Amino acid sequence: MFKSISSWTSELSFINAINVTLIAAVLSVTLFFWVASTVVGSLAASQILVPVAWAQFGSQKGPGSVVTDEELEEEEQIEENIVDRIHESLSSYVSNAAGKVDGFYDDERYADEVNTTRVKLRVDYFLEKGEDPEVKLRFNLSLVLPKTNKRLKLVVSGKPDEDETDETGAGLGEEGEDDNVEVALAYTQVETAEHNLSMRTGLRLKSITPAWWLGPRWRAYSQGEIWGTRLTNSFRWYTDTGFRIDTTLDFERPLTENFFYRHSLKGKWDQDKERYDYDVIFAVFQKLARRRSLKYEYINKFRSTNDHQWDNIIFKVTYRQSIWRRWLFFEIAPQVSFPEREDWDFTPGILFRIETIIGKEKLKNKKRK
């Protein structure tokens, strides 16, 4: 008996050591990507800034010449203007590239902050080894109310976006979420490039008795010359399940003219569940043509109860194209996952999607064209 207990204890210690090692590996890869991209980006920026400094140095008068205070102030002002223009150009390039990517995929980062009347319909068909085929129909209606300066909108959604799990490659949704329907009001108090704050309240029609919820959504975005950093927090209190917090932290940057990189940390906590779910995602977007794009994703899913458990590893490629009309999209996304619940077995899957977005806002900024 004591021998079996000792064996079980050593096995448990070995499993915990593996979990710690895997988490350390993910964090190491994350740090490597961050440092490497920052160094490369700094070198790229220096190629622009150094010639400017040399040009300013060459314009100075030779030895023995007298430089007046006015001339010195003019030279300093010219140098500051040039550096400021370069900084503004690089910063806007980062944010505009992110806007293009999220707008084309109609990502929640984009859709949650578009204050226009629009309708989105989506049909998904998902196949995965060892599972029955799944077919899901989802809809979202966003109606901007008149005489509110586009700050108040009514949102009606079936299978709400915040409850979806397919956005990070885990099928079409969790069990029991099929009948979710929400009717909500969203009032945007702050709407700038750096910050977006809205208060939201509504009813979730998940059972016979509807649940009322209330909470804010806040987003902050910092534009740098090389990197863009976005933090999004959504807080909700439900009358039936209590509090829920969704957090997303993005680090993103353009790699080349047609490639865009994003590293995301996504976390979700529900008061009625004794765990914290979080994802570590590496994504690269490739523009193929004006209406065609590829997205490559490497996704690590974790579930935290008493310890940090690696729940799933997913490699996914998504091809998205608008077909026939600008508002009609087709997606095909093959993936390979290694779920812990299946003892890390090789599990292939594929997603087919048809999506229509009517009333989609067009990007008017000339810099985004």
Side-chain angles (χ1 to χ4, degrees):
M1 175 179 178
F2 291 103
K3 183 177 181 181
S4 62
I5 293 175
S6 176
S7 175
W8 177 81
T9 304
S10 61
E11 181 179 354
L12 181 61
S13 301
F14 176 72
I15 293 174
N16 290 334
I18 291 179
N19 289 332
V20 172
T21 303
L22 292 177
I23 293 174
V26 172
L27 294 178
S28 299
V29 172
T30 302
L31 181 62
F32 171 78
F33 271 92
W34 173 267
V35 173
S37 301
T38 302
V39 171
V40 173
S42 299
L43 292 175
S46 65
Q47 291 179 356
I48 300 175
L49 295 177
V50 170
V52 172
W54 273 103
Q56 292 300 316
F57 178 79
S59 65
Q60 294 178 359
K61 298 183 179 182
S65 61
V66 179
V67 181
T68 64
D69 292 341
E70 294 181 357
E71 290 176 336
L72 183 60
E73 290 180 0
E74 288 180 0
E75 289 185 359
E76 291 178 350
Q77 185 65 34
I78 291 173
E79 183 176 355
E80 290 178 359
N81 290 340
I82 292 175
V83 174
D84 289 342
R85 285 199 297 269
I86 293 174
H87 174 79
E88 182 180 356
S89 177
L90 291 174
S91 299
S92 62
Y93 179 59
V94 174
S95 60
N96 288 338
K100 281 185 177 181
V101 168
D102 295 334
F104 182 75
Y105 283 88
D106 202 62
D107 188 272
E108 61 183 8
R109 299 169 179 83
Y110 171 88
D112 282 350
E113 298 182 13
V114 174
N115 289 327
T116 58
T117 297
R118 65 204 297 267
V119 177
K120 178 166 72 172
L121 298 174
R122 175 192 296 175
V123 180
D124 289 343
Y125 180 74
F126 184 70
L127 288 170
E128 189 175 38
K129 177 185 175 182
E131 302 291 340
D132 295 331
E134 295 181 76
V135 180
K136 297 289 176 68
L137 172 65
R138 305 172 186 180
F139 68 91
N140 181 280
L141 167 64
S142 179
L143 179 63
V144 176
L145 301 181
K147 299 182 180 180
T148 61
N149 197 24
K150 294 187 177 182
R151 291 187 176 273
L152 182 64
K153 62 181 178 180
L154 173 68
V155 181
V156 181
S157 56
K159 192 73 168 53
D161 288 342
E162 56 269 22
D163 287 334
E164 293 180 4
T165 56
D166 70 299
E167 298 300 332
T168 51
L172 296 183
E174 296 179 355
E175 184 179 356
E177 291 182 350
D178 297 349
D179 300 327
N180 284 359
V181 176
E182 280 191 356
V183 180
L185 284 173
Y187 179 75
T188 304
Q189 296 171 292
V190 180
E191 187 178 16
T192 65
E194 292 77 20
H195 297 280
N196 185 282
L197 174 64
S198 61
M199 293 296 298
R200 305 180 178 209
T201 183
L203 296 175
R204 181 177 63 182
L205 310 176
K206 188 176 180 179
S207 58
I208 298 177
T209 304
W212 174 69
W213 62 268
L214 171 70
R217 177 190 180 274
W218 172 73
R219 185 268 303 160
Y221 187 78
S222 175
Q223 297 183 11
E225 296 177 358
I226 305 301
W227 287 94
T229 305
R230 179 190 293 104
L231 175 62
T232 306
N233 276 302
S234 177
F235 302 89
R236 287 191 177 190
W237 175 76
Y238 292 89
T239 55
D240 58 346
T241 58
F243 288 98
R244 171 171 175 162
I245 302 176
D246 291 87
T247 303
T248 302
L249 178 61
D250 297 316
F251 303 99
E252 55 196 23
R253 58 162 299 174
L255 298 176
T256 64
E257 182 180 357
N258 294 324
F259 285 87
F260 183 83
Y261 170 76
R262 173 177 287 153
H263 177 202
S264 300
L265 307 174
K266 303 183 70 172
K268 180 177 69 173
W269 175 78
D270 286 286
Q271 186 178 355
D272 64 331
K273 298 179 182 178
E274 296 181 356
R275 70 174 194 263
Y276 183 79
D277 299 332
Y278 60 98
D279 303 337
V280 181
I281 307 169
F282 303 91
V284 175
F285 301 82
Q286 180 184 3
K287 179 183 177 182
L288 301 177
R290 187 177 181 183
R291 301 184 184 181
R292 292 185 290 131
S293 177
L294 280 171
K295 177 169 62 172
Y296 310 90
E297 292 177 283
Y298 165 46
I299 305 164
N300 299 274
K301 303 183 74 67
F302 295 88
R303 181 177 56 197
S304 175
T305 50
N306 295 328
D307 58 356
H308 297 272
Q309 180 181 353
W310 206 334
D311 189 56
N312 203 349
I313 303 172
I314 302 167
F315 298 92
K316 183 178 179 181
V317 178
T318 301
Y319 173 80
R320 182 175 175 92
Q321 176 180 350
S322 62
I323 53 177
W324 189 45
R325 293 291 186 270
R326 290 177 176 270
W327 41 264
L328 186 61
F329 296 87
F330 168 75
E331 280 189 20
I332 179 171
Q335 70 174 46
V336 174
S337 62
F338 300 87
E340 186 273 338
R341 67 178 183 276
E342 301 294 338
D343 295 327
W344 309 105
D345 285 344
F346 176 87
T347 308
I350 189 168
L351 171 70
F352 299 92
R353 171 176 293 172
I354 295 292
E355 184 176 79
T356 177
I357 305 171
I358 303 173
K360 184 180 176 74
E361 179 178 300
K362 295 182 180 179
L363 297 177
K364 299 180 180 179
N365 192 337
K366 294 182 180 179
K367 294 182 181 180
R368 296 188 179 183
K369 292 183 178 179

